[in-house]
Amino acid sequence: MDFMDEGRQKAMDTKYIIWSPDGGYEPSELAEAKRIIDKGGLVAFPTETVYGLGGNGLQKEAARRIYAAKGRPSDNPLILHISQFCQLKEITRRIPDTAVKLAEAFWPGPLTMIFEKADCVPYEITGGLETVAVRMPEHPGALEFLEAAAVPVAAPSANTSGRPSPTRAEHVREDLEGKIDMIIDGGEVGIGFESTIVDLTGEIPVILRPGYITRQMVEEVVGETIMDPALLSVEGDVAPKAPGMKYRHYAPKAQMKVFCGSQTAVVSAINEAAERLVHEGVLPEEIGILAAEETAARYDVGQVVTSGSRKRDDVGRFLYGVLRRFDELHVKVILSESFYDSTREEAVMNRLLKAAGQQLVQVGDGDGVGDGL
Ligand code: TXA
Ligand code: MG
C-alpha cells in the first residue's frame, strides 16, 4: 500500500483482543499479533505510560504505515520498543556506560534513551536522523507482546496526530479503528503520560522530554544532566532536540487557558473569566473547567471535569482522558487550574501547557508554586 493513497483506502477490519493482568493473552491471539507485525502490519498495545501503535521497527514499510495511520509528519521519529537488553546492541552503534546504568535503574520502565543508530535501523524510523530512541516498557502485556514479536517494535503514542495520547483502548478505537490491524485492550494505563526522554549521544545527558522519571532521579544515577533549552522557553523560540516536541501535541478541540497563582486567586479568576464569556454570548455548557477534586465544587458556571485529587497525584494519570472528555462535551473553551504541587510537576505542566498552546494566565500576587495550586 502506498501511504500517499491512505486517504482513499477502504477502512480495514480492526481486530480487538484483550490482555488482562490475571489471564494474560489468549495464545492464538498473541500469535496473530506476531503474524501482523511480521507482515508489516500495525498493532496498538498498552504500555505503562500510554498506548503505543506498534509496527516492525526494522521495516520501512511499517514506518510508513504508522505515519499514515496517525496522520503524523514523517520527520517526527519513532521510539523502538524492546523486551531484552541484548536487543539494544543490534540497533545501536555504541552503548555508553551512562545508558547501562540508567537501564539498570529504570528499565523496564518509563525512560527512553537516544543512541547513535546502527545501519539496520531505517531512516524512515528515525525521521532521517543518525540517532535512534529506545525504550523497554514495564507493562507485562507490552513485554509479552514484544517478546512474541521478536523484533524491535516502533511505537509512537496510538493517537491521531495532534490529539491527546490514549490512556485507554477506547481512546485508540476513537482515533484508529479501521486504520490499523489490531488493538490490544489492557485496560487503563498506570502513568498516563509519555516516557522521559534522555539523549545520551553527547558528553552530558540531555533531558529532551520530562516524564515520570524525573531529572533528579536521572541525576542520582549519572550525575549532571542538561534540560533541553527548548523545554524552558515559554515563547517557543528555541527548536527542541526531540522533533516531536515542537508540535502542539495533546490538543483538545477547544481553546484552552491555564491559570496560575494562589488557590483562591485561581478559583476567582476562572469564575470571573467564565462569567465574562457568558456575557459575551458563550453558552455555560460550552465552557469547560478543569479542576482538581479539592476545588471542583467552587465553580459556579460551566462544565467542571476533575482530573482527580492533588493529594493522590492523580492529575498526570487522568489528564489526557479529561482532555478527551472535553472534546466529547463539545466545549468551546477550557479554563484550567495549574498543577504545580505534583512531584512530577515538570512533566504534567509540560503536557498541560502544550494542550493550551502555552496560554498561561498569571493571577493574583502568588507565584503559584507550593501554595496548593
Ligand atoms: O511513553 C512513550 O514514550 C510512548 C509509549 C508508546 O512508549 N511513546 C511515545 O512516542 O510517546 P511518540 O512517538 O508519541 O513520541 C516520541 C518522541 C517524539 O517527541 C520524538 O520527536 C522523540 O520521541 N524522538 C524519537 N526519536 C528521537 C531521536 N532520535 N532524537 C530525538 N528525539 C527523538
Ligand atoms: Mg505522541
Side-chain angles (χ1 to χ4, degrees):
M1 149 177 103
D2 181 342
F3 82 113
M4 298 302 287
D5 290 339
E6 177 71 7
R8 294 193 291 270
Q9 288 284 317
K10 269 202 353 227
M12 61 168 88
D13 261 344
T14 301
K15 174 140 187 159
Y16 195 80
I17 71 166
I18 288 178
W19 173 90
S20 75
D22 320 318
Y25 286 100
E26 183 67 45
S28 62
E29 292 180 339
L30 186 60
E32 192 176 347
K34 177 190 170 34
R35 273 198 304 279
I36 293 171
I37 296 294
D38 284 348
K39 282 192 326 218
L42 304 184
V43 176
F45 62 101
T47 82
E48 71 279 19
T49 55
V50 297
Y51 275 74
L53 175 58
N56 186 332
L58 304 178
Q59 272 185 22
K60 299 177 192 176
E61 192 51 32
R64 289 205 188 99
R65 286 190 181 147
I66 289 175
Y67 289 118
K70 276 182 67 88
R72 167 165 169 160
S74 57
D75 68 339
N76 188 357
L78 307 173
I79 298 173
L80 292 187
H81 292 65
I82 57 175
S83 59
Q84 309 265 357
F85 189 79
C86 60
Q87 290 176 285
L88 191 58
K89 241 184 159 160
E90 296 158 28
I91 53 181
T92 60
R93 215 177 269 285
R94 194 172 66 84
I95 304 178
D97 290 346
T98 44
V100 177
K101 287 188 195 149
L102 287 171
E104 271 168 11
F106 302 119
W107 274 6
L111 179 74
T112 295
M113 295 190 256
I114 310 281
F115 300 90
E116 288 162 31
K117 81 171 192 72
D119 292 338
C120 65
V121 179
Y123 286 113
E124 282 76 2
I125 295 287
T126 68
L129 298 175
E130 292 300 335
T131 54
V132 62
V134 188
R135 170 162 116 83
M136 187 192 293
E138 190 174 23
H139 191 291
L143 283 174
E144 212 180 318
F145 161 65
L146 294 171
E147 191 81 36
V151 286
V153 170
S157 48
N159 51 288
T160 301
S161 194
R163 292 215 70 203
S165 293
T167 54
R168 295 205 304 261
E170 298 91 277
H171 300 159
V172 181
R173 235 181 185 165
E174 269 168 37
D175 286 9
L176 298 175
E177 173 101 66
K179 295 184 178 169
I180 64 175
D181 301 276
M182 181 182 268
I183 297 173
I184 301 172
D185 184 348
E188 178 128 32
V189 300
I191 293 178
F193 49 92
E194 306 82 349
S195 61
T196 308
I197 305 181
V198 185
D199 184 349
L200 298 174
T201 58
E203 220 151 87
I204 301 174
V206 185
I207 314 267
L208 304 188
R209 180 170 73 181
Y212 189 82
I213 308 287
T214 61
R215 180 182 190 182
Q216 194 188 343
M217 288 160 80
V218 173
E219 291 194 336
E220 274 163 22
V221 177
V222 296
E224 188 195 354
T225 64
I226 304 171
M227 289 299 268
D228 183 356
L231 292 173
L232 308 170
S233 138
V234 179
E235 284 80 30
D237 49 355
V238 183
K241 289 214 175 74
M245 296 289 282
K246 70 174 177 274
Y247 297 105
R248 184 189 164 204
H249 266 188
Y250 328 121
K253 289 174 185 157
Q255 283 297 317
M256 180 167 165
K257 271 188 188 158
V258 182
F259 290 72
C260 175
S262 73
Q263 180 158 314
T264 323
V266 164
V267 172
S268 1
I270 290 180
N271 272 325
E272 279 161 27
E275 268 159 36
R276 235 182 354 262
L277 286 165
V278 172
H279 216 74
E280 287 163 13
V282 180
L283 299 173
E285 59 269 29
E286 291 172 338
I287 301 170
I289 293 176
L290 200 171
E293 248 167 41
E294 288 80 3
T295 31
R298 289 160 57 182
Y299 295 100
D300 315 321
V301 177
Q303 308 214 50
V304 181
V305 178
T306 127
S307 55
S309 166
R310 288 171 190 283
K311 293 193 199 101
R312 288 193 306 266
D313 238 352
D314 286 344
V315 179
R317 184 161 171 227
F318 298 124
L319 180 62
Y320 288 143
V322 168
L323 295 178
R324 282 181 181 261
R325 178 79 191 123
F326 281 125
D327 286 349
E328 283 167 16
L329 292 171
H330 300 292
V331 298
K332 289 195 174 146
V333 185
I334 301 168
L335 309 172
S336 174
E337 296 180 352
S338 45
F339 297 94
Y340 275 114
D341 63 343
S342 154
T343 45
R344 306 241 143 51
E345 69 177 46
E346 260 164 12
V348 175
M349 280 304 282
N350 172 272
R351 271 59 173 192
L352 198 62
L353 285 172
K354 268 178 182 292
Q358 307 297 328
Q359 288 205 69
L360 182 68
V361 183
Q362 186 77 48
V363 293
D365 45 18
D367 61 4
V369 181
D371 62 3
L373 256 190

